[in-house]
Amino acid sequence: MRAAIRTGDYASHTAGLGAGYLQANLAIMPEEFALDFMRYCQRNAKPCPLVGASDTGNPSMFTLGHDIDIRSDVPAYNIYENGRLNRSTTDIGDIWREDLVAFALGCSFTFERALQDDGIRLWHIDNDRTVPMFRSSIETVPAGPFSGPMVVSMRAIPEVQLHRTLEISARYPLGHGAPVHWGDPAEIGITDVSRPEWGDPAPVPDGCVPVFWACGVTPQVAVERAALPLFISHKPGHMLITDVPDDAEFPVISQSDPNR
């Protein structure tokens, strides 16, 4: 899958792909901001479960898989300058710099396979759409220049399967774990679930409950507020597919592996 992404043969969302492997959000920034960002992730582990960090200037995310080049192995990137989205692209090799540090953050796509295996249908996967995402009224814990509201992703879950959904997703702390809210969206500041700020609208049929998980787009909102001179993220829904099993206790591929 990563080979197809690297060559440009695939540039769409990664929901439902790479079954059994950890997917990750992406945050790339100059080294001078990296320690504060790592603090931000530690203080906000639900939306920002840190699963990998590159060496400064090294685009190889070798702890997450074999031959990962973070400049080309994500289907689409968003490039921010001074806190504003400048453009989207499928390759960042032309703007990579020796002072950049790449962070990989766990993604809720990881637990979706487990939900599907248990017979819990997910509308956005069944209909080839990107999961809807919203700014919530839940504030994150600041660190340095980073602060702002938590972004959440929504999935409509049948009431009869709600308890099972909570139980299954809680097994995947590297993929945001259990939901942060379910039921009335207004309780977390969302006035209209039919109008997501990222992703595609998804229905909430009768008999279903809107369920909200912490989302890895949260750092993008924090970076907009911090107005970093340069920040690169994945385009929402377009993740890095790693070689780390999605049920791994520690998200690190052994460096002693002869196949690395």
Side-chain angles (χ1 to χ4, degrees), residues 32-102:
E32 64 180 294
F33 303 105
L35 181 56
D36 276 332
F37 185 76
M38 192 171 287
R39 291 190 183 105
Y40 184 74
C41 293
Q42 189 275 328
R43 295 172 187 177
N44 300 281
K46 286 287 277 187
C48 308
L50 187 61
V51 298
S54 76
D55 293 329
T56 303
N58 185 356
S60 173
M61 299 288 284
F62 58 84
T63 63
L64 295 179
H66 309 293
D67 189 33
I68 290 180
D69 188 332
I70 206 62
R71 299 170 297 184
S72 57
D73 291 359
V74 171
Y77 304 81
N78 280 345
I79 300 170
Y80 294 81
E81 294 180 357
N82 300 312
R84 295 180 178 273
L85 178 60
N86 179 273
R87 62 188 173 97
S88 298
T89 184
T90 57
D91 190 292
I92 58 170
D94 60 331
I95 61 170
W96 183 262
R97 303 184 333 206
E98 293 302 308
D99 68 330
L100 293 180
V101 179

Side-chain angles (χ1 to χ4, degrees), residues 201-217:
V204 182
D206 290 342
C208 289
V209 179
V211 182
F212 299 88
W213 280 263
C215 177
V217 176

Side-chain angles (χ1 to χ4, degrees), residues 123-193:
W123 185 89
H124 67 285
I125 292 179
D126 289 346
N127 291 273
D128 193 26
R129 296 290 189 270
T130 299
V131 68
M133 293 159 273
F134 307 83
R135 294 175 199 254
S136 76
S137 58
I138 304 169
E139 285 294 318
T140 58
V141 180
F146 302 105
S147 64
M150 183 187 298
V151 175
V152 294
S153 59
M154 187 204 78
R155 295 158 186 81
I157 303 296
E159 277 189 76
V160 295
Q161 295 177 315
L162 178 59
H163 178 76
R164 186 68 178 149
T165 297
L166 305 183
E167 183 181 71
I168 291 172
S169 58
R171 299 174 188 166
Y172 298 90
L174 298 181
H176 302 301
V180 295
H181 180 72
W182 55 92
D184 185 0
E187 292 183 4
I188 56 170
I190 298 169
T191 57
D192 188 350
V193 293

